[in-house]
Amino acid sequence: MAEAVLFNLATDILKLAGSITFSEIQLVRGARDELDSLKETIETIRAVLLDAEKQQWHNNQVKLWLARLRDVLYDVQDLLDDVAAEDLRRKVTPGNKMSKAVGVFFSKSNQLAHRRKVAKEIQELRKRLDRIKKDREFRLEEHQREETMAIASGRKPEISAPDEQIIGRKKDKEKIKRLLFDPSSSDTVSFVSIIGKGGLGKTALARLVYNDGEIEEHFDLKMWVCVSDVFDVNLIIKEILKSANCQDYENKPLDQLQRLLHETLGKKKYLLVLDDMWNEVRLKWLELGDWLKSGEPGSKILITTRSRMVAKVTDEKSAFYSLQGLSTSESWDLFREVAFGDRQASIDQRLEEMGRDIVRKCAGVPLAIRTIGSLLYGKKEDQWNRYRVKELPEIPETDAIDNGIMQVLKFSYDHLPSCLKHCFAYCSLFPKDHVYDKEMMIHLWVAQGFIESSNGEDNLEEVADNYLSELLCRSFLDTVIKCDDEVLNFKMHDLMHDLAQKVAGGECKIVNFKGGDNDSGIRHASFSSEIFSEEKMVSLLKTSKLRTFLYLGGESSVLNSPKVFSGCRHCRALGLDKIDIPLLPSSFGKFKQLRLLYISANQSIQSLPDSITDLMNLQILKLIRCRNLKTFPRDLRKLVNLRHLSIDGCDSLTHLPPLSELPSLRTLILKYSNALEFLQQTSDPEQSNTTHSFFPSLEKLCLLFCGNLKGWWGRMQVIRAYQKHRLDNSRSSFPKLRSVDIVGCPSLNFVPPFPRVEYLHTDSTKMLKQQLMVNPNCPSEATVGSTFIPFSELKRLDLDGRDWEPSTLETLLRLASNLESIILDKCDLRVSLMVCSTFPCSRNSRFGIVKDSIYHAKKTSMAPNGDTLRNFIFLK
């Protein structure tokens, strides 16, 4: 990952070159020369980094050299970021409001001392970098950095769900089904084990079987659990209960979990899939196995594993199914589909010859075929030939040696654009079989600076979404859940996880503090359910300069110590999941570089500490299921870089600060916060300035299931002031708002207008009517004689519920001149008919869908006339 780190560092230096802070530092004698020398050294090293990353795989000397290089580069970046953070603090804190201490810090004499100190540190870092450049007793070739900006605006690949179009496994599927239907075993519960080396598709085959219709009919209950490396009986039982849709299994001791498992499986013929088993200790299995015998005769446990010993440990009488690689023709079919996009397309004879030669290297292993094929997709003939002649011959065939598949995957990794290498390796922070939330992962990537903007103005989340799509397309990640062709969750194959850990080189690590582990050099760390001491944690933080601190749940008392967070001053992402400790006010002042703060399931927080407003680099703030959180700090407006604010399941939250004063806020999500009545409790109408844009940067607004939410402001005078201003300038509120979800807020009677919205999802007739019509004398009740606001940019409309007034919808459809699609969910049929007859037919209007209509209708029972929708579909 070093080459990507260096590129990001060089970019930061260039950005600072034009800043006031940087110019002032250059005034110090010699500082300009030191900075210029630093940049020249970076450019010199940069040219050989791609070759160094490839060589470190088999050359320990290169690996150590890269580790030293990364350390000094991180230190340079930390120094520059600290300078920029102090500069930002000075700009955000007005001179007449500074505390005495801040005033002293920014005095001229202090500023000069600060510049000299920074200049001296730059000199020392430049010397360290020069020594590393010279201390190289091996040859490295220079390579140009691959252009990666195309990913930001390039194709977004079509991503197939894992079960779709799996090649070559129909016969295997039928054989596994016969083994599962076989009643010959005398035991109540019997075992079937799918055995095969990594990458063959054991999990994919098991999933095909699991989702089969005949399997569905044969078993009363189906459950799927990923076991992987750690065989934790307590955790496995919880996952079984979760898969069986059991409730109330959290926080129960093992004996109660076992009784609940016994009750869940009793008197049912069940199928349990234990995916990716590694346990070879019989005694460990017996702790679990005895509790799985509660089912009815015919119950089956399907195991996927690489080891026959694992299968024998579970049951000597287990039916073994040894999975083989794909045949030559099946391998070619899979390769054609991935490398050319179509299994049936005609192919140039020269490319076919090279393709078949490359496929032989993969020895029928689907994962190897997919990754190599994805790499070659869209490449020209000379690139195919270069890979086949110069690079692939150095890799042994997949089945020739034990790690053959890993070398094929590493080959594909080496040819990833540098910006994707960071993102892929970072995924190793989570355990095997973890289901990644796409939005959270994208936010983590952005917080770490992994996402590159071609012009400084790109939406980084959109660019990151394209990065993710590219990794999915190249088979480095696998889709788990999609909605409307958008990926919501994804996973990593366990071999890909092994590769991610390998290429991260110790920078990204799940820390367990077990004896013998070398935790030096960690920059990104996650911690889970292990119980460890404050001393070990503090020692790690002193030596590691962590940029990521993710606590994934478990014993959290160690985090009560102020020493822990005081050691995280370089941290850019802080995730505290399922901890229950108060947040110490003194802790957050240390996090100058923090970009992401995620807190979930913390019942000890009643208010966020005021020190959070000092986190001026904070971009993403997520608060999830903090049930006792009541208030926010008043000066949240100081968070000038905050782009995403998500509050979900904070039931006690009663007050929010004026969020409209956050200049960079792009996404506001407020869900399941039932104590909140108003988004802004404004006591004086004059406090709300109606002459400026309202939420100048907001692009996405979600207000979901806030049952007591009544309006935006708590004073009617403010509403009237905004309504009057709206008549004068209807486009001043939410100037960039494009996506709005307002559902489950029945008491909501006023939201400032959003005339530029492109996507609208709501179940509120009152809110929609109020958006359409303006009456300054009666702001909460629109009248027919009111002024209409056109929804000229609305393209997609989703409406829920049965209380819609046809006249209101007719007005909306008339004002929404560019509407392309409508989805009506649980709507009255007369409303559906009105929409059908009103919605204009144009080149852009593609379809309207009515879901769960109160009248049962078949797809073809009512076709619209030629002047309305092209496709109008009723779905029961």
Side-chain angles (χ1 to χ4, degrees):
M1 300 192 298
E3 195 269 343
V5 171
L6 183 56
F7 181 83
N8 290 342
L9 173 61
T11 302
D12 286 344
I13 292 174
L14 293 174
K15 285 180 182 178
L16 282 170
S19 73
I20 296 173
T21 304
F22 193 84
S23 300
E24 291 174 347
I25 291 171
Q26 289 186 91
L27 295 177
V28 178
R29 181 177 297 178
R32 180 186 294 275
D33 293 339
E34 292 293 344
L35 285 163
D36 288 343
S37 177
L38 182 69
K39 287 192 286 185
E40 289 175 7
T41 303
I42 288 172
E43 291 295 338
T44 302
I45 295 176
R46 175 181 171 180
V48 300
L49 276 176
L50 283 176
D51 190 39
E53 283 195 305
K54 292 179 183 178
Q55 287 199 33
Q56 70 167 326
W57 188 260
H58 51 78
N59 188 327
N60 199 51
Q61 194 178 21
V62 176
K63 185 176 181 178
L64 293 173
W65 182 80
L66 278 175
R68 290 175 58 205
L69 176 61
R70 279 196 291 266
D71 283 342
V72 68
L73 293 181
Y74 276 130
D75 288 346
V76 173
Q77 193 175 47
D78 285 338
L79 173 63
L80 297 177
D81 279 346
D82 282 347
V83 172
E86 293 301 338
D87 185 47
L88 178 61
R89 189 187 302 273
R90 179 171 52 177
K91 292 174 181 176
V92 170
T93 308
N96 61 351
K97 294 183 180 179
M98 289 182 188
S99 67
K100 184 177 180 181
V102 175
V104 169
F105 178 84
F106 288 123
S107 67
K108 289 186 178 180
S109 60
N110 198 289
Q111 287 181 48
L112 181 59
H114 177 65
R115 292 176 204 158
R116 286 174 175 166
K117 180 176 179 290
V118 172
K120 185 176 181 180
E121 290 182 21
I122 289 174
Q123 183 183 46
E124 291 300 318
L125 289 168
R126 196 266 306 161
K127 289 179 180 177
R128 285 174 59 193
L129 201 56
D130 279 344
R131 284 196 295 270
I132 291 171
K133 183 180 72 170
K134 295 174 183 177
D135 184 19
R136 202 180 75 204
E137 300 177 358
F138 42 83
R139 175 179 171 76
L140 293 175
E141 294 182 4
E142 293 188 6
H143 292 279
Q144 289 290 326
R145 183 177 189 270
E146 284 189 54
E147 180 59 48
T148 62
M149 291 301 107
I151 295 175
S153 56
R155 67 184 179 94
K156 194 163 183 177
E158 192 73 24
I159 304 161
S160 298
D163 292 346
E164 293 176 2
Q165 301 177 342
I166 293 179
I167 293 173
R169 295 305 186 198
K170 288 184 179 179
K171 292 181 180 178
D172 297 298
K173 173 186 170 182
E174 292 304 316
K175 291 177 180 177
I176 296 294
K177 282 170 59 179
R178 285 201 295 271
L179 292 174
L180 293 176
F181 293 155
D182 184 6
S184 60
S185 174
S186 58
D187 295 328
T188 301
V189 180
S190 55
F191 293 76
V192 176
S193 297
I194 303 175
I195 304 169
K197 62 187 175 183
L200 277 178
K202 299 182 293 295
T203 299
L205 174 58
R207 191 185 297 113
L208 275 177
V209 173
Y210 186 82
N211 293 328
D212 183 80
E214 289 183 299
I215 292 290
E216 186 78 33
E217 294 179 4
H218 185 79
F219 293 99
D220 303 322
L221 175 65
K222 295 192 308 175
M223 297 155 292
W224 182 292
V225 174
C226 295
V227 182
S228 202
D229 295 350
V230 180
F231 193 86
D232 184 324
V233 174
N234 192 310
L235 182 60
I236 293 172
I237 291 178
K238 285 184 178 180
E239 290 299 313
I240 293 173
L241 293 171
K242 180 181 177 181
S243 184
N245 295 319
C246 281
Q247 305 297 322
D248 194 31
Y249 59 86
E250 292 284 358
N251 302 317
K252 288 186 181 298
L254 182 57
D255 60 334
Q256 292 185 30
L257 286 174
Q258 290 169 335
R259 284 197 296 271
L260 185 56
L261 180 64
H262 181 78
E263 294 169 3
T264 301
L265 301 181
K267 298 183 179 179
K268 293 185 180 73
K269 184 165 65 173
Y270 70 81
L271 170 64
L272 170 63
V273 178
L274 296 176
D275 184 37
D276 196 22
M277 279 268 286
W278 287 83
N279 172 56
E280 294 185 348
V281 180
R282 176 67 175 168
L283 289 177
K284 282 188 177 182
W285 169 255
L286 292 177
E287 291 180 43
L288 174 67
D290 288 343
W291 292 99
L292 299 176
K293 297 178 180 178
S294 309
E296 287 288 291
S299 295
K300 298 283 184 176
I301 296 176
L302 178 62
I303 292 171
T304 69
T305 180
R306 297 187 205 174
S307 165
R308 183 174 288 265
M309 178 59 70
V310 170
K312 286 184 176 181
V313 161
T314 57
D315 188 358
E316 281 283 353
K317 296 181 288 185
S318 177
F320 301 125
Y321 188 82
S322 182
L323 188 62
Q324 303 301 311
L326 300 179
S327 67
T328 301
S329 62
E330 291 166 344
S331 297
W332 175 244
D333 285 344
L334 177 58
F335 181 82
R336 279 179 61 136
E337 186 172 280
V338 178
F340 300 102
D342 187 348
R343 213 182 305 172
Q344 306 300 325
S346 58
I347 303 172
D348 178 84
Q349 185 175 355
R350 176 69 178 154
L351 282 182
E352 180 169 346
E353 289 176 3
M354 287 191 286
R356 290 187 179 277
D357 194 21
I358 290 170
V359 167
R360 277 193 290 274
K361 180 76 68 175
C362 299
V365 178
L367 183 60
I369 296 169
R370 288 204 313 270
T371 53
I372 292 290
S374 299
L375 170 65
L376 294 170
Y377 180 86
K379 297 287 194 301
K380 295 180 180 178
E381 182 177 328
D382 61 335
Q383 291 173 298
W384 280 57
N385 197 48
R386 189 188 77 202
Y387 293 152
R388 186 187 68 149
V389 174
K390 293 185 177 180
E391 299 185 53
L392 280 170
E394 298 178 6
I395 301 174
E397 286 196 8
T398 299
D399 60 351
I401 59 174
D402 290 341
N403 69 340
I405 176 66
M406 187 60 71
Q407 297 221 24
V408 171
L409 301 184
K410 176 61 168 53
F411 171 79
S412 297
Y413 167 84
D414 285 339
H415 289 87
L416 280 178
S418 297
C419 58
L420 297 185
K421 291 179 179 179
H422 254 329
C423 298
F424 170 71
Y426 194 79
C427 292
S428 64
L429 275 178
F430 296 87
K432 286 185 177 180
D433 296 314
H434 178 76
V435 177
Y436 299 80
D437 177 79
K438 182 188 82 168
E439 181 184 80
M440 185 63 185
M441 207 66 209
I442 281 176
H443 283 158
L444 285 167
W445 291 344
V446 170
Q448 294 301 332
F450 296 162
I451 311 304
E452 302 172 13
S453 170
S454 57
N455 55 18
E457 298 179 359
D458 293 326
N459 184 318
L460 295 181
E461 284 72 29
E462 290 182 1
V463 177
D465 195 27
N466 280 301
Y467 284 15
L468 179 65
S469 295
E470 192 72 19
L471 287 169
L472 287 162
C473 181
R474 292 171 181 251
S475 298
F476 283 86
L477 305 173
D478 298 313
T479 304
V480 174
I481 299 175
K482 287 197 303 182
C483 180
D484 295 333
D485 289 330
E486 180 182 356
V487 175
L488 301 180
N489 302 92
F490 62 91
K491 291 182 72 172
M492 295 182 82
H493 191 282
D494 58 343
L495 283 176
M496 284 297 184
H497 194 279
D498 291 340
L499 176 64
Q501 289 180 316
K502 182 83 171 177
V503 299
E507 279 198 35
C508 304
K509 193 169 183 182
I510 303 173
V511 179
N512 54 30
F513 294 109
K514 291 181 179 178
D517 283 1
N518 181 10
D519 294 328
S520 63
I522 300 176
R523 296 287 174 166
H524 309 284
S526 62
F527 308 84
S528 57
S529 59
E530 298 287 340
I531 299 175
F532 43 82
S533 68
E534 175 188 329
E535 181 182 3
K536 288 182 177 180
M537 177 69 84
V538 172
S539 175
L540 171 69
L541 296 176
K542 278 184 178 179
T543 58
S544 58
K545 297 181 181 179
L546 289 184
R547 293 183 164 215
T548 302
F549 186 109
L550 299 179
Y551 203 84
L552 305 181
E555 170 61 40
S556 59
S557 59
V558 67
L559 300 182
N560 271 315
S561 170
K563 293 181 181 179
V564 172
F565 289 134
S566 64
C568 294
R569 59 181 298 265
H570 300 288
C571 206
R572 285 156 168 75
L574 176 62
L576 304 175
D577 192 15
K578 297 177 184 176
I579 67 168
D580 199 9
I581 60 169
L583 298 181
L584 301 174
S586 59
S587 301
F588 288 95
K590 310 288 184 182
F591 292 90
K592 291 181 182 180
Q593 300 306 328
L594 196 65
R595 268 74 166 175
L596 180 148
L597 176 59
Y598 169 80
I599 303 172
S600 81
N602 189 328
Q603 312 313 323
S604 296
I605 305 176
Q606 294 191 4
S607 63
L608 291 180
D610 289 341
S611 56
I612 280 183
T613 63
D614 293 331
L615 307 179
M616 295 177 189
N617 280 306
L618 192 67
Q619 299 172 359
I620 301 145
L621 177 58
K622 291 171 170 276
L623 300 166
I624 313 297
R625 299 191 309 281
C626 297
R627 307 285 183 195
N628 296 314
L629 177 65
K630 295 179 179 179
T631 59
F632 272 62
R634 285 186 176 183
D635 286 341
L636 208 66
R637 64 178 180 274
K638 289 167 63 178
L639 301 181
V640 293
N641 284 308
L642 188 65
R643 298 211 310 261
H644 301 275
L645 176 59
S646 181
I647 304 169
D648 184 355
C650 299
D651 294 331
S652 302
L653 185 64
T654 57
H655 294 81
L656 286 172
L659 302 177
S660 58
E661 297 180 13
L662 294 168
S664 303
L665 191 65
R666 292 188 175 187
T667 303
L668 174 59
I669 299 174
L670 186 62
K671 299 166 63 176
Y672 297 102
S673 298
N674 289 317
L676 194 66
E677 294 187 1
F678 300 98
L679 270 75
Q680 294 184 200
Q681 287 280 7
T682 306
S683 58
D684 183 355
E686 297 304 320
Q687 291 180 9
S688 296
N689 191 337
T690 59
T691 62
H692 294 98
S693 291
F694 184 73
F695 280 95
S697 301
L698 195 69
E699 298 172 356
K700 180 178 180 179
L701 172 66
C702 293
L703 304 176
L704 304 176
F705 306 104
C706 299
N708 292 309
L709 189 62
K710 297 177 180 177
W712 206 278
W713 294 280
R715 291 288 295 265
M716 187 60 71
Q717 295 97 318
V718 179
I719 300 176
R720 289 198 174 105
Y722 267 85
Q723 286 282 41
K724 183 178 185 303
H725 178 60
R726 181 186 178 193
L727 283 173
D728 299 329
N729 186 359
S730 64
R731 302 177 78 82
S732 65
S733 67
F734 297 124
K736 295 184 179 180
L737 187 60
R738 297 295 180 265
S739 175
V740 174
D741 277 271
I742 301 179
V743 175
C745 304
S747 303
L748 187 62
N749 59 27
F750 180 76
V751 177
F754 37 78
R756 294 187 176 185
V757 69
E758 296 178 359
Y759 167 72
L760 175 60
H761 177 207
T762 184
D763 61 353
S764 172
T765 302
K766 184 189 297 184
M767 191 281 303
L768 184 57
K769 185 189 291 187
Q770 166 279 115
Q771 282 288 319
L772 287 170
M773 298 170 277
V774 179
N775 183 349
N777 297 316
C778 187
S780 62
E781 294 293 335
T783 62
V784 176
S786 300
T787 302
F788 291 98
I789 299 297
F791 274 74
S792 58
E793 297 182 36
L794 185 64
K795 295 179 180 179
R796 179 182 170 189
L797 178 64
D798 290 4
L799 301 176
D800 294 351
R802 301 175 180 176
D803 299 327
W804 294 103
E805 298 176 6
S807 60
T808 302
L809 293 182
E810 188 175 359
T811 301
L812 174 61
L813 293 175
R814 190 167 64 250
L815 297 173
S817 55
N818 287 305
L819 194 63
E820 296 178 2
S821 68
I822 303 175
I823 295 178
L824 305 176
D825 193 352
K826 302 182 181 69
C827 288
D828 191 293
L829 185 58
R830 65 193 180 93
V831 172
S832 305
L833 295 175
M834 184 280 302
V835 172
C836 181
S837 62
T838 307
F839 188 36
C841 180
S842 67
R843 282 192 310 170
N844 292 329
S845 58
R846 290 189 294 272
F847 55 82
I849 300 177
V850 179
K851 297 194 298 184
D852 299 321
S853 173
I854 61 171
Y855 291 92
H856 184 74
K858 293 182 180 179
K859 182 175 178 179
T860 56
S861 64
M862 188 184 69
N865 60 50
D867 296 325
T868 56
L869 288 175
R870 296 179 184 176
N871 301 293
F872 196 85
I873 304 169
F874 288 92
L875 300 177
K876 179 70 172 70

